Amino acid sequence: MERYRLEEGIVVGRRALPQGDLLLRFLTPKGSLEAVARKGMRPSGRSGRLSLFHHVRFQLYAKGEGLPTLTQAELLGRLHGLEEPQRFLIASFLAELSYRLASPEAAPRIYPVFISGLRGIAKHPRPLLPLVWAGWRVVKAGGLGPNLRGSGLYLKAGRLEDQGLYLGERGVEALRAILHLPGSKALPYLEEAPLERLFLALKHHAEEALGPLKATSVATGL
């Protein structure tokens, strides 16, 4: 069946293909999707100018079972600040995590958290803080939230135990706040939390379910 459809979302991936085509990945409120922009790498191609984390409205043409073709793209907005190398790496990790978890069922919950996380990473003086908040919220929205009912200070296989990745009292307290309190009430807990340990725990917890995440070159201590 051949059809056109309109979508809106964030560009979270782009890769050059043979013959100058461009493979684009989008995170939308309806889920994750891929599309091919024919000759998109040409300087004159409008889709070739779409960069990561651009907010776009776009039209797809689907025919058969192959990837849909991007036929039109309109830039709606962009976040200034994410072009800084450290912030870009952090945003890339959140983008890959969100893309991998954004099934059609989970996407309506993940998308607003992802947008909020990107805004925080672009502006916050400690970009690791909004990453930790948004990353764990995305994991919860995707159905992979950890069980924090125990008394241990280590996270192992999604549970609080007496061994595993050490979070400490402040780390456990902050993680409980992230997962159970509104964002404005959770952020004070993160100000004094061990962000590096919470990030490493997030990465390990997500990869246990999803496999390796490529955008993992986020340095601690940012």
Side-chain angles (χ1 to χ4, degrees):
M1 182 165 115
E2 301 179 8
R3 61 192 181 104
Y4 289 90
R5 73 178 193 269
L6 286 174
E7 299 281 356
E8 182 176 324
I10 306 296
V11 180
V12 296
R14 47 177 287 151
R15 179 166 61 89
L17 297 175
Q19 288 79 50
D21 293 344
L22 185 65
L23 177 65
L24 292 165
R25 284 183 169 180
F26 300 92
L27 182 64
T28 81
K30 300 176 186 177
S32 302
L33 62 87
E34 290 183 322
V36 175
R38 303 297 178 191
K39 310 302 180 185
M41 291 302 295
R42 289 181 177 177
S44 59
R46 182 181 301 176
S47 57
R49 296 195 297 272
L50 292 179
S51 297
L52 292 181
F53 312 124
H54 280 182
H55 179 200
V56 295
R57 182 183 296 119
F58 53 99
Q59 180 177 267
L60 300 177
Y61 173 70
K63 179 179 180 180
E65 298 181 357
L67 288 177
T69 300
L70 184 76
T71 57
Q72 295 181 23
E74 175 188 2
L75 178 63
L76 300 179
R78 68 188 79 187
L79 282 173
H80 297 288
L82 292 179
E83 65 275 4
E84 296 178 14
Q86 292 178 335
R87 295 179 191 271
F88 182 85
L89 287 175
I90 289 176
S92 296
F93 178 88
L94 180 62
E96 183 180 359
L97 177 64
S98 301
Y99 182 87
R100 297 274 293 272
L101 286 171
S103 65
E105 296 76 21
R109 300 186 299 272
I110 288 175
Y111 188 77
V113 175
F114 174 64
I115 297 297
S116 182
L118 285 185
R119 289 173 178 161
I121 291 167
K123 297 186 298 184
H124 199 282
R126 299 169 66 197
L128 196 57
L129 190 152
L131 169 64
V132 167
W133 175 83
W136 279 110
R137 295 287 293 189
V138 163
V139 163
K140 179 183 178 182
L144 297 179
N147 181 345
L148 301 181
R149 288 182 226 163
S151 59
L153 300 179
Y154 297 77
L155 190 66
K156 182 179 181 181
R159 302 178 64 89
L160 292 179
E161 303 284 357
D162 295 327
Q163 57 181 337
L165 286 170
Y166 179 67
L167 298 180
E169 291 185 7
R170 286 188 182 273
V172 171
E173 184 181 44
L175 187 51
R176 286 193 173 117
I178 292 168
L179 296 178
H180 300 298
L181 295 179
S184 59
K185 294 185 177 181
L187 290 181
Y189 290 88
L190 282 165
E191 294 293 343
E192 302 298 328
L195 296 178
E196 293 82 5
R197 291 203 295 266
L198 285 168
F199 166 70
L200 291 175
L202 168 66
K203 175 182 176 297
H204 183 76
H205 179 75
E207 289 186 335
E208 282 184 329
L210 302 175
L213 295 169
K214 294 178 181 179
T216 56
S217 55
V218 180
T220 58
L222 295 175

